[in-house]
Amino acid sequence: MDNKEGSTSCSVSVLTWEQVNRLNEVLTEVVPVHGRGNFPTLEVQLNDIVARVRSRLELSGITVKDTRLNGSTASHVLVQDIGWSYKDLDVIFRVDLLHEAEFRLIKDVVLSTLLDFLPEGVNKEKITPMTLKEAYVQKLVKVNTEQDRWSLISLSNNNGRNVELKFVDSIRRQFEFSVDSFQIVLDSMLTYYELAETPMSQAFHPTVTGESMYGDFNTALSHLRNRLIATKRPEEIRGGGLLKYCNLLVRDFRPASEEEFKGLERYMCSRFFIDFPDIGEQQRKMEAYLQSHFIGEEKSKYDYLMILRRVVNESTVCLMGHERRQTLHLISLMALQVLAEQNAIPDASCVTCYYQPAPYVQDHNFSNYYVANQNIPTWLPCN
């Protein structure tokens, strides 16, 4: 069952042994699912919970076409040390979601599966699905429109490594950039775990395929290895991909085409402000992104916000002047807050601050203040 990396079609490739070995490490790693309050922590292996959920869905009459590892974890499997540690363990179950009943059934199956991971001695009979949801589910999403039909159940992890189970019938956009467009089909691995009697080795391991939703697999893999940023039609991405783009920049990725991305940055900013027009929505979105993508990387938050501020400042063309200044002011305040949280605000003696004289200072009819006979600049340094 040994194999070499090669394309079976433009968007699909067979994984090498090194990649399969990394995939095996991800799937068999014990990941804690932390309970709220007094609920115990569940010790979960990804291959185990995926196999259990898949089996129970099929017993319940829902056919699972395949299961796939998605996002940054799939990128980690394909190329190690790519500049960011993978966060969520994102698994896609491809299913048909024709009616509301399927959505409810999927939720019930996942919650009932959690009972299997409770420690011995826990009285499972008294634990209801609603209790399990409140204790272990961080996020529950359902989308049911003509073009998008999918649901997401995210299991809590205090270190940001949530187990995210996504059940997809159809979805318009499955990636933001080429480097996060990979999906790895898990079914051959799950079959191996179930049937094989010997450990995996270079001489004997399952054949595993990966697919790039960006298009050409080898091109996307080259972007990943060389830390290049490329995308297609960013105006289709919710939020324009703006926050992820700046995340890649702070991790020393660079645009594959600088000239092209000057135009794409404008599309990203326009779509971001279309989706989040209110300053409150913008703040909530940015804060949630920082919280979920920079756990354990507190020192990178300030650099990230400064990059975001620069891109918004240089590439926003769809806002009125005061709206643009309001957003820039928000990002600056968030950056200052990050420094304060890190006790990294510099000593006041090293800071030059500025104030703007009130308009009436230069009004010669205003006699309550003495005004020196000199030209007063628009801004004056405090010191």
Side-chain angles (χ1 to χ4, degrees), residues 132-143:
L132 289 168
K133 182 176 80 71
E134 294 299 323
Y136 295 108
V137 174
Q138 178 168 330
K139 186 165 52 177
L140 192 62
V141 179
K142 181 182 75 173
V143 177

Side-chain angles (χ1 to χ4, degrees), residues 81-126:
D81 300 325
I82 51 176
W84 79 77
S85 58
Y86 63 94
K87 301 295 184 186
D88 295 335
L89 296 166
D90 188 356
V91 177
I92 292 175
F93 296 75
R94 292 207 305 141
V95 295
D96 289 326
L97 298 171
L98 302 178
H99 308 97
E100 181 67 25
E102 281 90 358
F103 286 95
R104 289 196 301 269
L105 182 57
I106 284 171
K107 183 179 72 171
D108 292 342
V109 164
V110 173
L111 293 176
S112 65
T113 302
L114 295 181
L115 288 172
D116 296 347
F117 296 94
L118 286 169
E120 292 184 8
V122 175
N123 188 349
K124 301 178 183 179
E125 294 180 359
K126 294 185 178 181

Side-chain angles (χ1 to χ4, degrees), residues 28 50 68 81 84 92 125-126 189 246 308 347 373:
T28 57
V50 170
R68 299 178 174 225
D81 300 325
W84 79 77
I92 292 175
E125 294 180 359
K126 294 185 178 181
M189 294 288 284
C246 295
L308 176 61
D347 184 77
N373 187 20

Side-chain angles (χ1 to χ4, degrees), residues 181-238:
S181 68
F182 298 102
Q183 296 181 359
I184 298 173
V185 182
L186 300 178
D187 298 86
S188 62
M189 294 288 284
L190 298 179
T191 301
Y192 188 93
Y193 293 132
E194 182 181 1
L195 301 177
E197 299 179 354
T198 58
M200 283 186 200
S201 65
Q202 185 169 359
F204 190 75
H205 63 269
T207 300
V208 182
T209 58
E211 182 177 1
S212 169
M213 312 313 291
Y214 172 79
D216 187 275
F217 187 96
N218 289 328
T219 298
L221 190 62
S222 176
H223 292 164
L224 184 61
R225 285 174 172 154
N226 295 291
R227 299 191 180 189
L228 297 177
I229 306 172
T231 191
K232 297 175 180 177
R233 303 178 299 279
E235 66 276 10
E236 295 179 355
I237 308 170
R238 178 164 173 78

Side-chain angles (χ1 to χ4, degrees), residues 25-66:
E25 292 173 356
V26 168
L27 293 177
T28 57
E29 177 189 8
V30 175
V31 180
V33 176
H34 296 109
R36 295 183 180 88
N38 295 324
F39 279 86
T41 297
L42 310 182
E43 302 292 338
V44 173
Q45 287 180 298
L46 196 60
N47 66 316
D48 191 10
I49 191 170
V50 170
R52 290 172 186 263
V53 170
R54 183 182 68 169
S55 175
R56 289 185 179 180
L57 285 175
E58 293 183 337
L59 287 173
S60 300
I62 295 180
T63 301
V64 179
K65 299 170 185 176
D66 60 36

Side-chain angles (χ1 to χ4, degrees), residues 279-294:
I279 192 68
E281 291 179 290
Q282 295 166 23
Q283 181 174 355
R284 286 189 292 273
K285 183 65 178 178
M286 293 177 199
E287 288 176 345
Y289 193 90
L290 286 174
Q291 184 177 4
S292 61
H293 289 82
F294 288 87

